[in-house]
Amino acid sequence: MITRLFGALLCALVVPAGAWAQAYPTRNVTLVVPFAAGGPTDVVARTLAAVMGKSLGQTVVVENRTGAGGTLAANAVAKAAPDGYTVLIHHNGMATAPGLYRKLPYNPLTDFEYVGQVLDVPMTLLGRKDLPPNSGAELVGYVKANAAKLTLAHAGLGAVSQLCGMLFERALDVKLTSVPFQGTAPAMNALLGGQVDILCDQTTQTIPQIKAGNVKFFGVTTKARIKALPDAPTLHEQGLKDFEVVVWHGIYAPKGTPRPIIERMNGAVRTALKDPDVMKRMADLGAEIAPDSKLSSEGLQAWLKAEIDKWGPIIKAGGTFAD
Ligand code: MLT
């Protein structure tokens, strides 16, 4: 908080806001990723950062600040100086954390400025390669019969892998042994090594492993099949009626970051999302560019509020809390 206030004060005293924002950026910008390097959020962040850096004229440095299902990173950015040099990329965890963490040290709706939503990403339900079931339908029977000895990997309370796993458990009315990691990159390594049994994770990390045949693949978590894996059935069509988890990623800045800087950042994001290489890479990995209505600051803010209103009661009803 002190850093944030000091930063704001310093900026206000030293240079008039308009001029300061116009000169922005004069040094590297840090994009904070709440999960481990090499995982799905990191892949999105690094793909965008490279192109955003070109349009901002400064390097966008990706920094992985892991822990507590993404809430440590969000808290750090909420309390960073509001000068445009520290921004956060985060997903649905921004909306589920207020339900999961009753003592959350920041408020997603009042402690940030909203740059814009960037991408929607489907998830996939996976097993270690030698897990016996061969389809989503077989998995349901197998998990019901073996719940006591199965492990579910995820990236902590507040992670979408945990959310997806929890919804899967609820759909089957089972409880698996939970194995948290600092992100789904290490969770995937554990799955590949056969140390854990099941992982629900985003296509931005899983498609290469699915295509290489390194994992058992049980289905996608969208209601409709996805372009990047056209032959893959959804979990919904395999009997898990209405099962749906879609991950959305947004970019945030600390509250008080001047509007011209948010707009500059938003412009850089839009440019990055129109870059042919970014578009191809994201499409190959199953990610869809957010619609224009959500790509704006107001669009992300409205969406976040709607998601908090949606997930709060669902989480409360499940009685899963981090504190
Ligand atoms: C990651 O980047 O590691 C994942 O997005 C974490 C998660 O499952 O939420």
Short mmCIF file of all heavy atoms in Angstrom, two decimals, residues 235-300:
data_model
loop_
_atom_site.label_atom_id
_atom_site.label_comp_id
_atom_site.label_asym_id
_atom_site.label_seq_id
_atom_site.Cartn_x
_atom_site.Cartn_y
_atom_site.Cartn_z
N LEU A 235 -16.80 -33.40 -22.74
CA LEU A 235 -17.23 -34.20 -21.59
C LEU A 235 -18.75 -34.20 -21.53
O LEU A 235 -19.38 -35.21 -21.20
CB LEU A 235 -16.63 -33.62 -20.30
CG LEU A 235 -15.10 -33.73 -20.22
CD1 LEU A 235 -14.57 -32.95 -19.03
CD2 LEU A 235 -14.64 -35.18 -20.15
N HIS A 236 -19.34 -33.08 -21.91
CA HIS A 236 -20.80 -32.92 -21.93
C HIS A 236 -21.44 -34.02 -22.81
O HIS A 236 -22.40 -34.67 -22.40
CB HIS A 236 -21.12 -31.52 -22.44
CG HIS A 236 -22.53 -31.28 -22.81
ND1 HIS A 236 -23.54 -31.20 -21.88
CD2 HIS A 236 -23.12 -31.09 -24.03
CE1 HIS A 236 -24.69 -30.97 -22.51
NE2 HIS A 236 -24.46 -30.90 -23.80
N GLU A 237 -20.87 -34.23 -23.98
CA GLU A 237 -21.48 -35.23 -24.89
C GLU A 237 -21.18 -36.67 -24.46
O GLU A 237 -21.79 -37.61 -24.95
CB GLU A 237 -21.06 -34.99 -26.35
CG GLU A 237 -19.67 -35.43 -26.70
CD GLU A 237 -19.25 -35.01 -28.11
OE1 GLU A 237 -19.03 -33.81 -28.37
OE2 GLU A 237 -19.10 -35.90 -28.96
N GLN A 238 -20.27 -36.83 -23.49
CA GLN A 238 -19.96 -38.19 -23.01
C GLN A 238 -20.66 -38.49 -21.69
O GLN A 238 -20.24 -39.38 -20.93
CB GLN A 238 -18.45 -38.34 -22.82
CG GLN A 238 -17.65 -38.27 -24.11
CD GLN A 238 -16.17 -38.43 -23.83
OE1 GLN A 238 -15.65 -39.54 -23.81
NE2 GLN A 238 -15.51 -37.34 -23.59
N GLY A 239 -21.70 -37.75 -21.40
CA GLY A 239 -22.50 -38.10 -20.22
C GLY A 239 -22.35 -37.15 -19.05
O GLY A 239 -23.17 -37.19 -18.13
N LEU A 240 -21.30 -36.30 -19.06
CA LEU A 240 -21.17 -35.32 -17.97
C LEU A 240 -21.99 -34.08 -18.36
O LEU A 240 -21.46 -33.05 -18.76
CB LEU A 240 -19.71 -34.97 -17.74
CG LEU A 240 -18.92 -36.00 -16.94
CD1 LEU A 240 -17.43 -35.73 -17.02
CD2 LEU A 240 -19.36 -36.02 -15.49
N LYS A 241 -23.27 -34.23 -18.27
CA LYS A 241 -24.24 -33.23 -18.75
C LYS A 241 -23.93 -31.83 -18.25
O LYS A 241 -23.74 -31.63 -17.05
CB LYS A 241 -25.62 -33.59 -18.26
CG LYS A 241 -26.45 -34.32 -19.16
CD LYS A 241 -27.49 -33.96 -20.02
CE LYS A 241 -27.97 -33.90 -21.32
NZ LYS A 241 -27.15 -33.68 -22.44
N ASP A 242 -23.84 -30.89 -19.18
CA ASP A 242 -23.64 -29.47 -18.88
C ASP A 242 -22.30 -29.15 -18.24
O ASP A 242 -22.10 -28.06 -17.73
CB ASP A 242 -24.78 -28.93 -17.99
CG ASP A 242 -26.10 -28.95 -18.73
OD1 ASP A 242 -26.08 -28.73 -19.95
OD2 ASP A 242 -27.13 -29.24 -18.10
N PHE A 243 -21.40 -30.11 -18.25
CA PHE A 243 -20.07 -29.82 -17.71
C PHE A 243 -19.41 -28.77 -18.61
O PHE A 243 -19.28 -28.98 -19.80
CB PHE A 243 -19.21 -31.09 -17.66
CG PHE A 243 -17.95 -30.90 -16.84
CD1 PHE A 243 -17.94 -31.27 -15.50
CD2 PHE A 243 -16.81 -30.34 -17.39
CE1 PHE A 243 -16.80 -31.07 -14.73
CE2 PHE A 243 -15.67 -30.14 -16.62
CZ PHE A 243 -15.66 -30.52 -15.29
N GLU A 244 -19.01 -27.67 -18.01
CA GLU A 244 -18.41 -26.60 -18.84
C GLU A 244 -17.46 -25.73 -18.01
O GLU A 244 -17.86 -25.20 -16.97
CB GLU A 244 -19.50 -25.70 -19.43
CG GLU A 244 -18.94 -24.69 -20.40
CD GLU A 244 -20.01 -23.78 -21.00
OE1 GLU A 244 -21.02 -23.51 -20.31
OE2 GLU A 244 -19.83 -23.34 -22.15
N VAL A 245 -16.23 -25.65 -18.44
CA VAL A 245 -15.29 -24.67 -17.87
C VAL A 245 -14.54 -24.04 -19.04
O VAL A 245 -13.91 -24.73 -19.83
CB VAL A 245 -14.25 -25.31 -16.92
CG1 VAL A 245 -13.46 -24.22 -16.19
CG2 VAL A 245 -14.88 -26.26 -15.92
N VAL A 246 -14.65 -22.73 -19.15
CA VAL A 246 -13.89 -22.00 -20.17
C VAL A 246 -13.03 -20.97 -19.42
O VAL A 246 -13.52 -20.24 -18.57
CB VAL A 246 -14.82 -21.28 -21.17
CG1 VAL A 246 -13.98 -20.53 -22.22
CG2 VAL A 246 -15.75 -22.27 -21.84
N VAL A 247 -11.76 -20.96 -19.75
CA VAL A 247 -10.85 -20.06 -19.05
C VAL A 247 -10.76 -18.74 -19.81
O VAL A 247 -10.64 -18.74 -21.04
CB VAL A 247 -9.45 -20.70 -18.94
CG1 VAL A 247 -8.50 -19.79 -18.17
CG2 VAL A 247 -9.55 -22.06 -18.27
N TRP A 248 -10.82 -17.64 -19.10
CA TRP A 248 -10.67 -16.33 -19.75
C TRP A 248 -9.52 -15.59 -19.06
O TRP A 248 -9.39 -15.61 -17.84
CB TRP A 248 -11.96 -15.53 -19.68
CG TRP A 248 -12.56 -15.44 -18.31
CD1 TRP A 248 -13.43 -16.33 -17.74
CD2 TRP A 248 -12.33 -14.43 -17.32
NE1 TRP A 248 -13.74 -15.94 -16.47
CE2 TRP A 248 -13.09 -14.77 -16.19
CE3 TRP A 248 -11.56 -13.27 -17.29
CZ2 TRP A 248 -13.09 -13.99 -15.03
CZ3 TRP A 248 -11.56 -12.49 -16.14
CH2 TRP A 248 -12.33 -12.85 -15.03
N HIS A 249 -8.69 -14.98 -19.86
CA HIS A 249 -7.52 -14.26 -19.33
C HIS A 249 -7.72 -12.75 -19.53
O HIS A 249 -8.14 -12.32 -20.60
CB HIS A 249 -6.25 -14.67 -20.08
CG HIS A 249 -5.87 -16.10 -19.86
ND1 HIS A 249 -5.00 -16.49 -18.88
CD2 HIS A 249 -6.26 -17.24 -20.48
CE1 HIS A 249 -4.85 -17.81 -18.90
NE2 HIS A 249 -5.61 -18.29 -19.88
N GLY A 250 -7.37 -11.99 -18.49
CA GLY A 250 -7.45 -10.53 -18.59
C GLY A 250 -6.17 -9.90 -18.08
O GLY A 250 -5.36 -10.54 -17.40
N ILE A 251 -6.00 -8.62 -18.40
CA ILE A 251 -4.80 -7.88 -17.94
C ILE A 251 -5.25 -6.71 -17.06
O ILE A 251 -6.19 -5.99 -17.40
CB ILE A 251 -3.95 -7.42 -19.14
CG1 ILE A 251 -3.43 -8.66 -19.88
CG2 ILE A 251 -2.77 -6.54 -18.68
CD1 ILE A 251 -2.51 -8.40 -21.04
N TYR A 252 -4.56 -6.58 -15.92
CA TYR A 252 -4.93 -5.62 -14.88
C TYR A 252 -3.74 -4.75 -14.50
O TYR A 252 -2.59 -5.21 -14.56
CB TYR A 252 -5.38 -6.37 -13.61
CG TYR A 252 -6.49 -7.36 -13.85
CD1 TYR A 252 -6.21 -8.63 -14.36
CD2 TYR A 252 -7.81 -7.02 -13.59
CE1 TYR A 252 -7.24 -9.54 -14.60
CE2 TYR A 252 -8.84 -7.92 -13.82
CZ TYR A 252 -8.55 -9.18 -14.33
OH TYR A 252 -9.57 -10.06 -14.56
N ALA A 253 -4.03 -3.55 -14.04
CA ALA A 253 -2.99 -2.65 -13.51
C ALA A 253 -3.45 -2.18 -12.13
O ALA A 253 -4.65 -2.23 -11.82
CB ALA A 253 -2.83 -1.46 -14.45
N PRO A 254 -2.52 -1.72 -11.30
CA PRO A 254 -2.93 -1.24 -9.98
C PRO A 254 -3.90 -0.06 -10.10
O PRO A 254 -3.79 0.74 -11.03
CB PRO A 254 -1.62 -0.78 -9.34
CG PRO A 254 -0.54 -1.42 -10.12
CD PRO A 254 -1.07 -1.64 -11.50
N LYS A 255 -4.82 0.03 -9.14
CA LYS A 255 -5.78 1.14 -9.10
C LYS A 255 -5.03 2.46 -9.12
O LYS A 255 -4.04 2.62 -8.40
CB LYS A 255 -6.60 1.03 -7.81
CG LYS A 255 -7.70 2.05 -7.70
CD LYS A 255 -8.85 1.64 -8.55
CE LYS A 255 -9.95 2.67 -8.58
NZ LYS A 255 -10.97 2.29 -9.57
N GLY A 256 -5.50 3.39 -9.93
CA GLY A 256 -4.87 4.71 -9.98
C GLY A 256 -3.91 4.87 -11.15
O GLY A 256 -3.40 5.96 -11.39
N THR A 257 -3.65 3.78 -11.88
CA THR A 257 -2.82 3.90 -13.08
C THR A 257 -3.55 4.84 -14.05
O THR A 257 -4.75 4.64 -14.32
CB THR A 257 -2.61 2.51 -13.74
OG1 THR A 257 -2.09 1.62 -12.75
CG2 THR A 257 -1.67 2.59 -14.92
N PRO A 258 -2.89 5.89 -14.54
CA PRO A 258 -3.60 6.88 -15.37
C PRO A 258 -4.25 6.25 -16.61
O PRO A 258 -3.71 5.35 -17.23
CB PRO A 258 -2.49 7.85 -15.79
CG PRO A 258 -1.43 7.68 -14.76
CD PRO A 258 -1.48 6.25 -14.32
N ARG A 259 -5.40 6.80 -16.92
CA ARG A 259 -6.20 6.29 -18.05
C ARG A 259 -5.40 6.26 -19.38
O ARG A 259 -5.47 5.27 -20.13
CB ARG A 259 -7.47 7.15 -18.19
CG ARG A 259 -8.42 6.70 -19.26
CD ARG A 259 -9.13 5.43 -18.86
NE ARG A 259 -9.82 4.86 -20.01
CZ ARG A 259 -10.69 3.87 -19.96
NH1 ARG A 259 -10.98 3.31 -18.81
NH2 ARG A 259 -11.27 3.42 -21.03
N PRO A 260 -4.60 7.31 -19.69
CA PRO A 260 -3.86 7.24 -20.96
C PRO A 260 -2.91 6.04 -21.01
O PRO A 260 -2.68 5.48 -22.08
CB PRO A 260 -3.06 8.56 -20.99
CG PRO A 260 -3.80 9.47 -20.07
CD PRO A 260 -4.42 8.62 -19.02
N ILE A 261 -2.38 5.64 -19.86
CA ILE A 261 -1.48 4.47 -19.83
C ILE A 261 -2.28 3.19 -20.05
O ILE A 261 -1.86 2.29 -20.79
CB ILE A 261 -0.69 4.45 -18.50
CG1 ILE A 261 0.34 5.58 -18.52
CG2 ILE A 261 -0.04 3.09 -18.26
CD1 ILE A 261 1.23 5.66 -17.31
N ILE A 262 -3.45 3.12 -19.43
CA ILE A 262 -4.31 1.93 -19.64
C ILE A 262 -4.66 1.82 -21.13
O ILE A 262 -4.62 0.74 -21.72
CB ILE A 262 -5.61 2.04 -18.78
CG1 ILE A 262 -5.26 2.07 -17.28
CG2 ILE A 262 -6.59 0.93 -19.10
CD1 ILE A 262 -4.60 0.82 -16.75
N GLU A 263 -4.95 2.97 -21.73
CA GLU A 263 -5.31 2.96 -23.16
C GLU A 263 -4.12 2.55 -24.03
O GLU A 263 -4.27 1.81 -25.00
CB GLU A 263 -5.87 4.31 -23.59
CG GLU A 263 -7.34 4.43 -23.19
CD GLU A 263 -7.88 5.85 -23.20
OE1 GLU A 263 -7.21 6.75 -23.74
OE2 GLU A 263 -8.97 6.05 -22.62
N ARG A 264 -2.94 3.01 -23.65
CA ARG A 264 -1.72 2.65 -24.40
C ARG A 264 -1.50 1.14 -24.31
O ARG A 264 -1.22 0.46 -25.29
CB ARG A 264 -0.55 3.42 -23.77
CG ARG A 264 0.77 3.32 -24.46
CD ARG A 264 0.88 4.32 -25.62
NE ARG A 264 1.79 3.81 -26.63
CZ ARG A 264 3.11 3.88 -26.57
NH1 ARG A 264 3.68 4.49 -25.57
NH2 ARG A 264 3.86 3.35 -27.52
N MET A 265 -1.67 0.63 -23.12
CA MET A 265 -1.49 -0.81 -22.89
C MET A 265 -2.56 -1.60 -23.66
O MET A 265 -2.27 -2.62 -24.27
CB MET A 265 -1.59 -1.06 -21.38
CG MET A 265 -1.38 -2.45 -20.90
SD MET A 265 0.31 -3.01 -21.00
CE MET A 265 1.13 -1.93 -19.85
N ASN A 266 -3.78 -1.10 -23.62
CA ASN A 266 -4.86 -1.77 -24.33
C ASN A 266 -4.56 -1.81 -25.83
O ASN A 266 -4.78 -2.83 -26.51
CB ASN A 266 -6.20 -1.05 -24.06
CG ASN A 266 -7.36 -1.72 -24.75
OD1 ASN A 266 -7.61 -1.48 -25.93
ND2 ASN A 266 -8.06 -2.59 -24.05
N GLY A 267 -4.03 -0.69 -26.36
CA GLY A 267 -3.66 -0.65 -27.78
C GLY A 267 -2.59 -1.70 -28.10
O GLY A 267 -2.64 -2.37 -29.13
N ALA A 268 -1.62 -1.83 -27.19
CA ALA A 268 -0.54 -2.81 -27.41
C ALA A 268 -1.09 -4.24 -27.37
O ALA A 268 -0.66 -5.11 -28.15
CB ALA A 268 0.54 -2.62 -26.34
N VAL A 269 -2.05 -4.48 -26.50
CA VAL A 269 -2.68 -5.81 -26.42
C VAL A 269 -3.43 -6.10 -27.72
O VAL A 269 -3.30 -7.18 -28.32
CB VAL A 269 -3.65 -5.89 -25.22
CG1 VAL A 269 -4.48 -7.15 -25.27
CG2 VAL A 269 -2.88 -5.81 -23.91
N ARG A 270 -4.20 -5.12 -28.17
CA ARG A 270 -4.99 -5.32 -29.41
C ARG A 270 -4.06 -5.57 -30.61
O ARG A 270 -4.34 -6.43 -31.44
CB ARG A 270 -5.87 -4.09 -29.69
CG ARG A 270 -7.06 -4.00 -28.77
CD ARG A 270 -7.83 -2.72 -29.04
NE ARG A 270 -8.84 -2.50 -28.02
CZ ARG A 270 -10.12 -2.85 -28.13
NH1 ARG A 270 -10.55 -3.40 -29.22
NH2 ARG A 270 -10.97 -2.62 -27.15
N THR A 271 -2.95 -4.82 -30.66
CA THR A 271 -1.99 -5.02 -31.76
C THR A 271 -1.43 -6.44 -31.69
O THR A 271 -1.33 -7.13 -32.70
CB THR A 271 -0.84 -3.99 -31.65
OG1 THR A 271 -1.42 -2.69 -31.64
CG2 THR A 271 0.13 -4.10 -32.81
N ALA A 272 -1.08 -6.86 -30.48
CA ALA A 272 -0.51 -8.21 -30.31
C ALA A 272 -1.52 -9.28 -30.76
O ALA A 272 -1.15 -10.27 -31.41
CB ALA A 272 -0.10 -8.44 -28.86
N LEU A 273 -2.78 -9.07 -30.43
CA LEU A 273 -3.79 -10.09 -30.76
C LEU A 273 -4.11 -10.13 -32.26
O LEU A 273 -4.73 -11.08 -32.73
CB LEU A 273 -5.06 -9.85 -29.94
CG LEU A 273 -4.92 -10.13 -28.44
CD1 LEU A 273 -6.17 -9.68 -27.69
CD2 LEU A 273 -4.65 -11.61 -28.17
N LYS A 274 -3.68 -9.06 -32.98
CA LYS A 274 -3.90 -9.06 -34.44
C LYS A 274 -2.65 -9.53 -35.19
O LYS A 274 -2.65 -9.64 -36.41
CB LYS A 274 -4.25 -7.64 -34.90
CG LYS A 274 -5.68 -7.29 -34.57
CD LYS A 274 -6.06 -5.97 -35.23
CE LYS A 274 -7.31 -5.40 -34.57
NZ LYS A 274 -7.13 -4.07 -34.04
N ASP A 275 -1.58 -9.78 -34.46
CA ASP A 275 -0.33 -10.22 -35.08
C ASP A 275 -0.53 -11.64 -35.65
O ASP A 275 -0.99 -12.54 -34.93
CB ASP A 275 0.77 -10.23 -34.01
CG ASP A 275 2.09 -10.69 -34.58
OD1 ASP A 275 2.33 -11.92 -34.59
OD2 ASP A 275 2.87 -9.83 -34.99
N PRO A 276 -0.22 -11.85 -36.94
CA PRO A 276 -0.50 -13.16 -37.56
C PRO A 276 0.15 -14.34 -36.82
O PRO A 276 -0.45 -15.40 -36.70
CB PRO A 276 0.05 -13.02 -38.98
CG PRO A 276 0.16 -11.56 -39.21
CD PRO A 276 0.32 -10.88 -37.90
N ASP A 277 1.38 -14.14 -36.33
CA ASP A 277 2.05 -15.26 -35.63
C ASP A 277 1.36 -15.57 -34.30
O ASP A 277 1.19 -16.73 -33.93
CB ASP A 277 3.53 -14.93 -35.37
CG ASP A 277 4.31 -14.86 -36.66
OD1 ASP A 277 3.84 -15.43 -37.67
OD2 ASP A 277 5.38 -14.21 -36.67
N VAL A 278 0.97 -14.50 -33.61
CA VAL A 278 0.26 -14.70 -32.33
C VAL A 278 -1.07 -15.40 -32.61
O VAL A 278 -1.44 -16.37 -31.94
CB VAL A 278 0.01 -13.34 -31.61
CG1 VAL A 278 -0.92 -13.51 -30.42
CG2 VAL A 278 1.34 -12.72 -31.17
N MET A 279 -1.78 -14.92 -33.64
CA MET A 279 -3.09 -15.50 -33.96
C MET A 279 -2.96 -16.99 -34.28
O MET A 279 -3.74 -17.81 -33.81
CB MET A 279 -3.73 -14.75 -35.13
CG MET A 279 -4.23 -13.37 -34.73
SD MET A 279 -4.77 -12.40 -36.12
CE MET A 279 -6.36 -13.12 -36.44
N LYS A 280 -1.94 -17.32 -35.07
CA LYS A 280 -1.77 -18.72 -35.47
C LYS A 280 -1.41 -19.59 -34.25
O LYS A 280 -1.97 -20.65 -34.03
CB LYS A 280 -0.71 -18.84 -36.56
CG LYS A 280 -0.44 -20.30 -36.90
CD LYS A 280 0.21 -20.54 -38.21
CE LYS A 280 0.45 -21.99 -38.54
NZ LYS A 280 0.07 -23.02 -37.63
N ARG A 281 -0.44 -19.08 -33.48
CA ARG A 281 0.00 -19.86 -32.31
C ARG A 281 -1.17 -20.10 -31.36
O ARG A 281 -1.38 -21.20 -30.86
CB ARG A 281 1.13 -19.12 -31.60
CG ARG A 281 1.64 -19.79 -30.34
CD ARG A 281 3.08 -19.38 -30.06
NE ARG A 281 3.52 -19.61 -28.68
CZ ARG A 281 3.81 -20.80 -28.18
NH1 ARG A 281 3.67 -21.88 -28.91
NH2 ARG A 281 4.22 -20.93 -26.93
N MET A 282 -1.94 -19.04 -31.10
CA MET A 282 -3.06 -19.18 -30.17
C MET A 282 -4.13 -20.12 -30.74
O MET A 282 -4.67 -20.95 -30.02
CB MET A 282 -3.64 -17.80 -29.83
CG MET A 282 -2.73 -16.96 -28.95
SD MET A 282 -2.43 -17.72 -27.32
CE MET A 282 -0.76 -18.23 -27.38
N ALA A 283 -4.41 -19.99 -32.03
CA ALA A 283 -5.42 -20.87 -32.64
C ALA A 283 -4.96 -22.33 -32.59
O ALA A 283 -5.74 -23.23 -32.26
CB ALA A 283 -5.68 -20.45 -34.08
N ASP A 284 -3.68 -22.57 -32.87
CA ASP A 284 -3.15 -23.94 -32.82
C ASP A 284 -3.27 -24.52 -31.41
O ASP A 284 -3.40 -25.73 -31.23
CB ASP A 284 -1.67 -23.97 -33.23
CG ASP A 284 -1.49 -23.76 -34.74
OD1 ASP A 284 -2.51 -23.79 -35.46
OD2 ASP A 284 -0.34 -23.53 -35.16
N LEU A 285 -3.20 -23.64 -30.41
CA LEU A 285 -3.27 -24.10 -29.02
C LEU A 285 -4.70 -24.00 -28.46
O LEU A 285 -4.90 -24.09 -27.24
CB LEU A 285 -2.29 -23.30 -28.15
CG LEU A 285 -0.79 -23.55 -28.45
CD1 LEU A 285 0.09 -22.66 -27.58
CD2 LEU A 285 -0.41 -25.02 -28.23
N GLY A 286 -5.66 -23.78 -29.32
CA GLY A 286 -7.07 -23.84 -28.90
C GLY A 286 -7.61 -22.55 -28.33
O GLY A 286 -8.77 -22.50 -27.92
N ALA A 287 -6.79 -21.49 -28.25
CA ALA A 287 -7.25 -20.24 -27.62
C ALA A 287 -7.99 -19.37 -28.61
O ALA A 287 -7.63 -19.30 -29.78
CB ALA A 287 -6.05 -19.49 -27.06
N GLU A 288 -9.04 -18.70 -28.13
CA GLU A 288 -9.81 -17.79 -28.99
C GLU A 288 -9.65 -16.37 -28.50
O GLU A 288 -9.77 -16.11 -27.29
CB GLU A 288 -11.29 -18.16 -28.92
CG GLU A 288 -11.59 -19.31 -29.81
CD GLU A 288 -13.05 -19.37 -30.21
OE1 GLU A 288 -13.79 -18.39 -30.05
OE2 GLU A 288 -13.43 -20.45 -30.68
N ILE A 289 -9.41 -15.47 -29.43
CA ILE A 289 -9.25 -14.06 -29.05
C ILE A 289 -10.57 -13.52 -28.52
O ILE A 289 -11.64 -13.80 -29.08
CB ILE A 289 -8.73 -13.27 -30.27
CG1 ILE A 289 -7.28 -13.75 -30.50
CG2 ILE A 289 -8.79 -11.77 -30.05
CD1 ILE A 289 -6.68 -13.45 -31.79
N ALA A 290 -10.49 -12.78 -27.42
CA ALA A 290 -11.71 -12.26 -26.79
C ALA A 290 -12.46 -11.36 -27.76
O ALA A 290 -11.83 -10.63 -28.54
CB ALA A 290 -11.33 -11.47 -25.53
N PRO A 291 -13.80 -11.40 -27.70
CA PRO A 291 -14.56 -10.50 -28.58
C PRO A 291 -14.29 -9.05 -28.22
O PRO A 291 -13.92 -8.73 -27.09
CB PRO A 291 -16.02 -10.87 -28.27
CG PRO A 291 -15.99 -11.58 -26.97
CD PRO A 291 -14.63 -12.20 -26.84
N ASP A 292 -14.46 -8.17 -29.20
CA ASP A 292 -14.14 -6.76 -29.02
C ASP A 292 -14.79 -6.15 -27.78
O ASP A 292 -14.19 -5.34 -27.08
CB ASP A 292 -14.58 -6.00 -30.27
CG ASP A 292 -13.59 -4.91 -30.58
OD1 ASP A 292 -12.38 -5.24 -30.73
OD2 ASP A 292 -14.00 -3.74 -30.60
N SER A 293 -16.01 -6.59 -27.48
CA SER A 293 -16.75 -6.02 -26.34
C SER A 293 -16.02 -6.28 -25.02
O SER A 293 -16.12 -5.50 -24.08
CB SER A 293 -18.14 -6.63 -26.28
OG SER A 293 -18.03 -8.04 -26.17
N LYS A 294 -15.27 -7.39 -24.94
CA LYS A 294 -14.57 -7.72 -23.69
C LYS A 294 -13.12 -7.23 -23.69
O LYS A 294 -12.46 -7.23 -22.67
CB LYS A 294 -14.60 -9.22 -23.46
CG LYS A 294 -15.98 -9.77 -23.14
CD LYS A 294 -15.82 -11.23 -22.79
CE LYS A 294 -17.12 -11.96 -22.71
NZ LYS A 294 -16.91 -13.41 -22.75
N LEU A 295 -12.64 -6.89 -24.88
CA LEU A 295 -11.25 -6.46 -25.01
C LEU A 295 -11.00 -5.06 -24.46
O LEU A 295 -9.88 -4.62 -24.35
CB LEU A 295 -10.89 -6.49 -26.49
CG LEU A 295 -9.77 -7.43 -26.90
CD1 LEU A 295 -9.85 -7.77 -28.37
CD2 LEU A 295 -8.43 -6.80 -26.60
N SER A 296 -12.07 -4.38 -24.11
CA SER A 296 -11.93 -3.03 -23.58
C SER A 296 -11.82 -3.07 -22.06
O SER A 296 -12.14 -4.08 -21.43
CB SER A 296 -13.15 -2.19 -23.96
OG SER A 296 -14.27 -2.74 -23.32
N SER A 297 -11.39 -1.96 -21.48
CA SER A 297 -11.30 -1.84 -20.04
C SER A 297 -12.68 -2.09 -19.39
O SER A 297 -12.82 -2.89 -18.47
CB SER A 297 -10.80 -0.42 -19.71
OG SER A 297 -10.80 -0.21 -18.35
N GLU A 298 -13.69 -1.43 -19.93
CA GLU A 298 -15.05 -1.58 -19.37
C GLU A 298 -15.55 -3.01 -19.56
O GLU A 298 -16.25 -3.55 -18.71
CB GLU A 298 -16.03 -0.61 -20.05
CG GLU A 298 -15.80 0.86 -19.75
CD GLU A 298 -14.53 1.42 -20.43
OE1 GLU A 298 -14.09 0.85 -21.45
OE2 GLU A 298 -13.99 2.41 -19.92
N GLY A 299 -15.19 -3.60 -20.70
CA GLY A 299 -15.64 -4.97 -20.99
C GLY A 299 -15.10 -5.95 -19.97
O GLY A 299 -15.83 -6.81 -19.46
N LEU A 300 -13.80 -5.83 -19.64
CA LEU A 300 -13.21 -6.74 -18.65
C LEU A 300 -13.83 -6.51 -17.27
O LEU A 300 -14.16 -7.46 -16.56
CB LEU A 300 -11.69 -6.55 -18.59
CG LEU A 300 -10.97 -7.32 -17.47
CD1 LEU A 300 -11.21 -8.82 -17.56
CD2 LEU A 300 -9.47 -7.03 -17.49
#
